[in-house]
Amino acid sequence: MRTSVQTKIWLAIVSIVLIFASFMLVFFPAQHEKSLIKYFNQEVQNLSNTVSLGVKIALTEQNFEGVEMAMDYAKSDSRLIFASMIQLDTIWEKDSNSYKVEKIIISTYPEGFEASTEMASSDSIIVKASPFTSEIMKGQVMVGFTTKEIDKTIARIKKTSIIASFSVFLVGLLIGLVLARKISRPVLALRNAAKKVGAGDLNQQVSISSNDEIGELGAAFNIMVDELADAEDKIKKKSETLQAQNEIIEQKNHHITDSINYAQKIQEAILPPKSLIDKLFSHYFVLFEPKEIVSGDFYWISEAKGSGKLEKEEGSEMNMNSTRIVTVCDCTGHGIPGALVSMLASSVLRETVYSKGITEPAQILDSVSAALISSLNQTGESIAKDGMDAAICSIDYNPSNNNGEYKLQFSGAHNPMYLVRKESPTEVEVYKGDFRSVGFAFGQVTKFTNHELFVNKGDRIYLLSDGYIDQFGSEKAGGRIKKFTAKRLQKLLATIQKEDMEKQKSILHETIMAWMDGKDQIDDILLLGIEI
Amino acid sequence: MKVLETDNSNKLMLLVARRSFVMCFVLLALLAGPYGHADDGALAIISNSKGAPEEMSISEMKDVFKGERQRWSDGTKVVIALMKTTTTIGNSTAQKLYKMSDQELNKYWLGLVFQGKAKAPKFFSSESELKDYVTETPGAIGVIGLISLGEGKSVLIDGNKSF
């Protein structure tokens, strides 16, 4: 429940007034009544004692002035109901071992009042007795006083308490009214002003009518609103500047994106057209997922004739018995830098194969590496460490050269080649690339290793960059995010050999997407599969 | 009485002396008899010049001394003065006037005072004090021995000075 400041002030004052009124109406009269009864009892007892002493003196000295004076004093008190003089007679039993005290009232004032020796105090009367002893007699004086006067006094106190409480209540109401006006009004004005400021109106100011905390609050509010208005002006100006800069950046971004998009088209131009691949291989797939618009990964497929010279891809006649070269390259970085290096690497690769006529994969890599080092000026002091990883293989499709089998040569720079033979489809042969890159290399530069092997029709080879196997997924191992890994890919390939190449591409794509589970792709993905 | 006779003169002289002594004793006893009776029992009433009448009947006197009459005919307040019951006169007063013992007299007055029916008497240890008090107090009336009656105002009771 929401309670306003005004209500709280009222509640506080009403509570104080009620507490005071309760004290005045209940506690104070009760305490006063107790005191009155106590003192009245004491007063009656004292009077009884005085009369008793007077009686004793009268009996022993025959001086009646004391008792006369005490009785006159008692009789003058309108609260006196009775005063009795009681004689105590000790009556011994016949055996003289026990006795009883008999009380006889010998005189009572007022005459005719029916006093009893058994009278005791009650709500309406206070009875007190005082003993006396003389040679003549033994007895006691008993006096009874009405409590009506006390009741009247208490009633007067209650009346006074009610009047006092009512007066306090009225004063409380007045104070409450003044306080509520003095406190709640400026607070409400502050609240309303704050609401308007919250709604964006920074011209709000509150009037300050006091120099107390509320006045200070109002002054602080006004200063705050002024500073907010200044801050808003500054933000507006900065926002305008930022907007202008954003527009410039947007324009530049647009230009850059246009450039990159155009660069993509250029980069796509260096990739072999589908028509060429279709001519060279009946069954294959290319799973190519660049991380950005342009990619650092690229693949290149070509055909070499028996003489060693290669035909150009487009518009050329295909010799089904020729040697075919398949290359998967992963240039340093990705995006624009990767694309630039890939353009250079692609050019050098073509130059190596087309112009120099080199068809052996290891020689191709050695030649490309040397060309890149030269092109990127990686021999001087200022060494650019750019280069590429690659997997390259050549397949001799002339069965007569190899007793019905096809000769396959492979060389790799970091990147491997997987081979799954038709006769053992669950076994993945792994041909690892050398532990160095094409282009810049630390230490002594060694030549790439050339692997030779024979394959049969229906065997499947897979060339890949590291994008697929290094992709992080949602699974964690020891608190660290796991990569997909080469082993997992090999297992996957072993399980999908019943599928055709197109289906395999689909499975591989879905698997890596599921593995990423919405996470960012960390690198370009390139996986190329060919069925011999 | 038996007279002893002897043969010699000493015995005669002793006899004469003894007879003379007895005679004197009897004579003194006869002379002192009426006066001794008056000291023990005869009481007289004295009063202040204001208030009390010159003469009262014995019943009026009893009314006054029992506290039943509060004021004299001239309006003066009745003030009773008595000898303490420990004195001979006081004791005699209790018996003759009030027909009460000492204790009964005290209880009687205590009862009256307690109930406010009467003002208690003023009790004195000596008659001279009592007489002085009566002389000085308007409306006062007191009881003393007849023998102590002086020149002050006395009240006749049924025409007698004593009762």
Side-chain angles (χ1 to χ4, degrees):
Chain A
M1 190 182 79
R2 185 178 168 277
T3 312
S4 67
V5 174
Q6 198 166 4
T7 310
K8 283 175 184 169
I9 293 167
W10 276 112
L11 283 174
I13 288 170
V14 168
S15 302
I16 293 166
V17 167
L18 285 177
I19 291 166
F20 181 77
S22 323
F23 176 79
M24 288 294 290
L25 291 172
V26 181
F27 182 75
F28 179 67
Q31 287 299 109
H32 209 83
E33 184 177 356
K34 276 171 85 174
S35 299
L36 276 174
I37 290 169
K38 183 184 169 187
Y39 289 122
F40 192 42
N41 269 280
Q42 192 64 46
E43 187 183 349
V44 174
Q45 185 65 61
N46 288 343
L47 190 65
S48 173
N49 292 345
T50 307
V51 175
S52 173
L53 182 64
V55 169
K56 184 179 178 181
I57 292 168
L59 290 173
T60 52
E61 297 178 15
Q62 285 192 299
N63 182 350
F64 290 83
E65 282 179 6
V67 66
E68 216 165 32
M69 200 180 294
M71 282 305 293
D72 285 346
Y73 181 74
K75 287 171 199 167
S76 68
D77 195 326
S78 61
R79 298 170 296 177
L80 178 72
I81 296 176
F82 75 95
S84 292
M85 191 161 49
I86 298 166
Q87 182 174 317
L88 302 179
D89 290 332
T90 306
I91 301 166
W92 289 90
E93 299 294 337
K94 286 180 182 174
D95 56 8
S96 300
N97 289 329
S98 58
Y99 65 90
K100 63 177 180 181
V101 177
E102 196 174 75
K103 292 182 177 179
I104 304 160
I105 295 174
I106 57 173
S107 182
T108 296
Y109 173 86
E111 195 178 12
F113 182 85
E114 290 184 6
S116 158
T117 56
E118 305 303 322
M119 286 184 81
S121 296
S122 67
D123 286 344
S124 60
I125 188 170
I126 289 174
V127 177
K128 294 288 176 188
S130 304
F132 62 85
T133 305
S134 73
E135 289 179 1
I136 297 169
M137 64 179 278
K138 201 174 180 183
Q140 60 182 194
V141 169
M142 185 168 72
V143 293
F145 275 69
T146 179
T147 59
K148 276 182 186 171
E149 285 299 318
I150 293 177
D151 294 340
K152 281 181 187 172
T153 307
I154 290 166
R156 271 201 306 278
I157 289 166
K158 279 185 179 171
K159 192 177 171 185
T160 309
S161 298
I162 288 167
I163 291 167
S165 300
F166 187 68
S167 305
V168 169
F169 185 71
L170 283 180
V171 172
L173 282 181
L174 197 66
I175 292 169
L177 193 69
V178 172
L179 279 179
R181 284 167 69 95
K182 239 184 161 182
I183 295 172
S184 70
R185 277 194 173 183
V187 169
L188 289 174
L190 263 173
R191 183 198 65 183
N192 294 336
K195 275 184 178 177
K196 286 180 182 171
V197 168
D201 181 2
L202 294 178
N203 294 319
Q204 288 296 315
Q205 289 285 302
V206 292
S207 61
I208 297 158
S209 56
S210 64
N211 56 358
D212 56 10
E213 289 86 344
I214 292 174
E216 288 172 5
L217 181 64
F221 175 82
N222 289 341
I223 292 168
M224 183 192 75
V225 173
D226 286 343
E227 286 176 356
L228 275 175
D230 287 347
E232 194 189 47
D233 280 347
K234 285 177 187 170
I235 289 167
K236 262 186 187 173
K237 283 174 188 168
K238 282 191 178 174
S239 180
E240 284 167 6
T241 310
L242 280 174
Q243 200 173 349
Q245 286 173 345
N246 271 344
E247 283 172 6
I248 294 167
I249 290 167
E250 203 174 329
Q251 274 183 341
K252 285 184 177 175
N253 187 43
H254 187 69
H255 289 313
I256 291 167
T257 308
D258 284 350
S259 299
I260 293 171
N261 285 334
Y262 195 77
Q264 184 193 21
K265 286 178 183 172
I266 295 169
Q267 192 180 37
E268 280 174 359
I270 66 168
L271 298 176
K274 188 174 181 296
S275 56
L276 173 67
I277 306 172
D278 287 343
K279 282 179 186 173
L280 295 178
F281 301 108
S282 304
H283 305 287
Y284 74 96
F285 69 79
V286 178
L287 178 61
F288 186 32
E289 300 284 348
K291 182 177 184 293
E292 290 163 12
I293 299 169
V294 289
S295 169
D297 287 11
F298 72 95
Y299 57 95
W300 185 70
I301 296 171
S302 186
E303 180 188 35
K305 288 184 178 174
S307 62
K309 287 207 173 179
L310 293 167
E311 284 194 354
K312 303 248 172 145
E313 298 93 332
E314 289 183 56
S316 301
E317 287 289 323
M318 295 305 296
N319 182 351
M320 292 312 290
N321 295 328
S322 65
T323 297
R324 288 151 208 185
I325 296 172
V326 180
T327 311
V328 166
C329 297
D330 178 3
C331 298
T332 308
H334 43 76
I336 303 277
L340 286 172
V341 178
S342 75
M343 291 299 291
L344 177 63
S346 171
S347 174
V348 170
L349 186 63
R350 286 164 190 267
E351 176 71 18
T352 302
V353 176
Y354 290 152
S355 301
K356 294 181 181 175
I358 300 171
T359 59
E360 186 190 282
Q363 284 182 7
I364 291 171
L365 288 181
D366 286 333
S367 176
V368 170
S369 184
L372 278 179
I373 288 168
S374 174
S375 299
L376 293 172
N377 197 23
Q378 293 175 331
T379 53
E381 288 182 357
S382 168
I383 297 174
K385 296 177 181 62
D386 301 297
M388 69 175 185
D389 293 341
I392 179 166
C393 70
S394 67
I395 308 153
D396 183 358
Y397 265 84
N398 188 351
S400 60
N401 293 345
N402 300 299
N403 300 321
E405 290 184 318
Y406 305 118
K407 183 182 175 184
L408 186 149
Q409 296 179 80
F410 164 74
S411 185
H414 284 132
N415 290 351
M417 180 189 76
Y418 300 150
L419 169 63
V420 181
R421 296 182 188 277
K422 189 179 180 182
E423 60 195 23
S424 54
T426 58
E427 189 182 327
V428 178
E429 293 175 25
V430 179
Y431 295 90
K432 288 184 178 175
D434 291 340
F435 195 68
R436 58 159 294 194
S437 296
V438 178
F440 174 81
F442 288 104
Q444 191 179 358
V445 176
T446 54
K447 292 199 176 292
F448 284 97
T449 309
N450 197 61
H451 301 270
E452 277 189 16
L453 57 147
F454 293 92
V455 293
N456 291 301
K457 190 172 175 64
D459 292 348
R460 288 163 173 172
I461 59 168
Y462 302 91
L463 301 177
L464 61 146
S465 67
D466 58 358
Y468 198 102
I469 58 176
D470 285 348
Q471 177 61 46
F472 289 118
S474 56
E475 282 186 33
K476 285 186 178 178
R480 299 178 66 182
I481 301 168
K482 285 167 69 177
K483 289 180 176 180
F484 191 83
T485 69
K487 278 191 178 176
R488 198 185 300 270
L489 176 60
Q490 289 159 22
K491 278 184 186 175
L492 178 62
L493 290 173
T495 58
I496 59 174
Q497 289 308 312
K498 287 180 184 174
E499 310 294 342
D500 61 30
M501 297 307 276
E502 198 59 35
K503 179 69 177 173
Q504 283 189 12
K505 178 187 177 184
S506 172
I507 291 169
L508 287 164
H509 181 259
E510 285 168 8
T511 302
I512 197 66
M513 287 298 122
W515 175 258
M516 284 160 67
D517 192 21
K519 287 197 162 38
D520 289 340
Q521 184 178 331
I522 61 161
D523 199 358
D524 303 320
I525 291 173
L526 176 56
L527 176 55
L528 200 148
I530 292 169
E531 186 178 309
I532 304 297
Chain B
M1 184 187 335
K2 187 179 178 182
V3 180
L4 297 173
E5 292 182 1
T6 59
D7 293 334
N8 56 37
S9 58
N10 286 338
K11 283 184 180 178
L12 182 64
M13 283 178 70
L14 183 62
L15 180 64
V16 170
R18 286 178 67 184
R19 280 186 178 176
S20 300
F21 178 77
V22 170
M23 287 293 284
C24 287
F25 183 79
V26 170
L27 183 64
L28 281 171
L30 285 170
L31 285 171
Y35 294 104
H37 174 74
D39 285 346
D40 286 343
L43 299 172
I45 306 297
I46 59 170
S47 73
N48 187 270
S49 55
K50 281 188 77 178
E54 298 290 332
E55 186 176 351
M56 285 192 289
S57 67
I58 194 149
S59 63
E60 282 176 335
M61 180 194 70
K62 283 186 176 177
D63 285 349
V64 169
F65 279 98
K66 283 191 173 180
E68 289 168 4
R69 184 169 180 181
Q70 305 291 318
R71 290 191 181 274
W72 300 114
S73 53
D74 64 354
T76 314
K77 205 172 178 182
V78 173
V79 179
I80 301 167
L82 296 173
M83 289 299 288
K84 286 186 176 177
T85 52
T86 50
T87 65
T88 310
I89 298 298
N91 185 268
S92 180
T93 305
Q95 287 175 5
K96 281 191 172 179
L97 183 57
Y98 291 95
K99 307 292 184 201
M100 294 176 188
S101 67
D102 300 354
Q103 294 177 10
E104 284 169 341
L105 181 66
N106 280 341
K107 279 189 188 178
Y108 172 76
W109 278 112
L110 193 57
L112 287 181
V113 168
F114 206 82
Q115 289 183 332
K117 286 182 175 176
K119 190 161 175 60
K122 181 88 174 167
F123 286 88
F124 294 91
S125 300
S126 72
E127 288 177 291
S128 59
E129 284 177 13
L130 189 148
K131 284 197 285 186
D132 291 345
Y133 177 75
V134 169
T135 306
E136 291 166 4
T137 309
I141 185 167
V143 180
I144 58 171
L146 181 61
I147 198 166
S148 302
L149 198 60
E151 293 177 350
K153 180 183 174 182
S154 65
V155 180
L156 299 176
I157 305 301
D158 287 338
N160 299 317
K161 279 199 167 182
S162 65
F163 63 94

